[in-house]
Amino acid sequence: MNAPQNPTGNPEIAHTVVAGGIHTNYHDLGQGFPVLLIHGSGPGVSAWANWRLIMPELAKQARVIAPDMVGFGYTDRPAGQRYGMDTWVAQAIGLLDALHIEQADLIGNSFGGALALALAIRHPQRIRRLVLMGSVGVEFPITPGLDAVWGYAPSLENMRKLLDIFAYDRKLVTDELAKLRYEASIRPGFQESFAAMFPAPRQRWVDAMASKEEDIRLVPHQTLVIHGREDQVIPLSNSLALANWIARAQLHVFGQCGHWTQIEHAGRFAQCVRNFLSEAGQDEPQPLA
């Protein structure tokens, strides 16, 4: 059973359910066909921090489920937990099972894109449509931006520098936002698990999150690939490769946009995704098991 809405007033904490053996904090709002949102891997990240502008928009037509993946946010961090794609895939499938969801649309951001892609490859029957945004999941030389994100050492100044990397529009990078994200990054347990996930040399973690090209080419789902043209964290070439390799893919590139597509262009992003998901019909060919 999932716990009731958390009464603390912290918007990042919502429901709790055991998913893949892990007590998982997740958001669940709206009605309709389920859509599962997987966040990125920035310091202090949570599902709410990543998707707060998008969840209410998608919830106008869908049931929106956004978990904190283990190692991030307010999901439990079991002692000795090993982090990797097998663990995160098992947690995501465990969440769908715990909520009795046979099939969902899937949206993955950055790190979450790599996880979404792995889910689609390993459990194609559980996914209806796929959205990959600024996605990891293919091999590429690590960018200085991603190396800085994964190598973050907590300080207000370092957080300001990271926000400058994330956003194209510097008006988004306020002192208040930097302070909020810095404080999030130093909550008990947050930095410890974050540092344990991506120790140097960090190219190996890019490689570990990559799916094989031959497997990506067999992805049967209708897929929307989204990227910010000025992204300094994940190269646009990733999304070009995914759009070329996935047979039923379409590509949308936002100009004057960094790695924060869902924040810098929140309204346009939400509309683009809503349109794509609403195309799915009962007579659409379903992916093979």
Side-chain angles (χ1 to χ4, degrees):
M1 295 290 293
N2 58 310
Q5 189 78 22
N6 189 288
T8 64
N10 183 346
E12 294 183 89
I13 301 173
H15 304 278
T16 300
V17 70
V18 177
I22 296 165
H23 288 267
T24 298
N25 177 58
Y26 73 101
H27 302 262
D28 190 342
L29 62 158
Q31 296 181 340
F33 193 85
V35 55
L36 178 64
L37 278 59
I38 307 294
H39 58 72
S41 62
V45 75
S46 68
W48 184 85
N50 247 194
W51 301 114
R52 64 190 183 278
L53 302 180
I54 302 303
M55 290 192 292
E57 292 301 312
L58 296 185
K60 293 175 181 178
Q61 71 179 44
R63 179 185 178 186
V64 177
I65 300 161
D68 290 345
M69 303 310 296
V70 64
F72 300 97
Y74 289 87
T75 285
D76 278 359
R77 295 167 167 80
Q81 177 68 52
R82 298 188 65 178
Y83 299 106
M85 200 55 68
D86 291 345
T87 297
W88 290 312
V89 167
Q91 182 191 9
I93 291 297
L95 178 61
L96 294 180
D97 288 345
L99 299 181
H100 308 290
I101 294 172
E102 291 297 323
Q103 192 178 58
D105 292 326
L106 181 58
I107 304 175
N109 166 30
S110 193
F111 150 84
L115 173 52
L117 192 59
L119 271 168
I121 290 168
R122 300 183 192 187
H123 302 276
Q125 74 282 3
R126 304 301 295 271
I127 310 304
R128 186 179 68 165
R129 285 194 163 208
L130 181 64
V131 180
L132 303 172
M133 186 189 79
S135 184
V136 188
V138 301
E139 293 182 355
F140 66 96
I142 191 169
T143 62
L146 181 57
D147 198 49
V149 170
W150 282 351
Y152 166 79
S155 76
L156 186 57
E157 183 59 30
N158 285 343
M159 183 56 74
R160 285 196 185 98
K161 291 177 181 178
L162 284 193
L163 297 187
D164 280 338
I165 292 171
F166 275 117
Y168 172 83
D169 184 355
R170 295 306 190 271
K171 293 193 296 293
L172 291 173
V173 184
T174 63
D175 287 342
E176 181 182 12
L177 177 61
K179 184 172 183 290
L180 286 171
R181 290 303 300 264
Y182 163 67
E183 290 174 350
S185 75
I186 59 171
R187 289 172 184 147
F190 275 47
Q191 181 60 22
E192 290 81 356
S193 59
F194 183 75
M197 269 184 269
F198 308 115
R202 297 183 182 89
Q203 180 65 50
R204 56 184 164 157
W205 310 121
V206 173
D207 299 342
M209 290 185 189
S211 294
K212 296 178 181 178
E213 178 181 343
E214 56 265 35
D215 291 334
I216 297 173
R217 288 184 178 275
L218 292 175
V219 167
H221 309 83
Q222 291 281 2
T223 302
L224 174 61
V225 183
I226 297 176
H227 215 104
R229 187 181 62 199
E230 284 77 30
D231 193 335
Q232 298 182 60
V233 180
I234 305 300
L236 176 58
S237 58
N238 274 29
S239 286
L240 297 177
L242 290 167
N244 279 326
W245 294 348
I246 298 173
R248 305 174 77 192
Q250 51 186 285
L251 174 67
H252 191 109
V253 178
F254 286 95
Q256 297 186 321
C257 183
H259 193 55
W260 275 355
T261 311
Q262 84 283 18
I263 295 174
E264 294 190 80
H265 294 265
R268 296 167 67 195
F269 173 86
Q271 186 62 53
C272 185
V273 170
R274 281 203 309 262
N275 289 344
F276 172 71
L277 298 183
S278 67
E279 292 173 358
Q282 296 300 316
D283 58 345
E284 183 175 5
Q286 295 299 305
L288 298 177

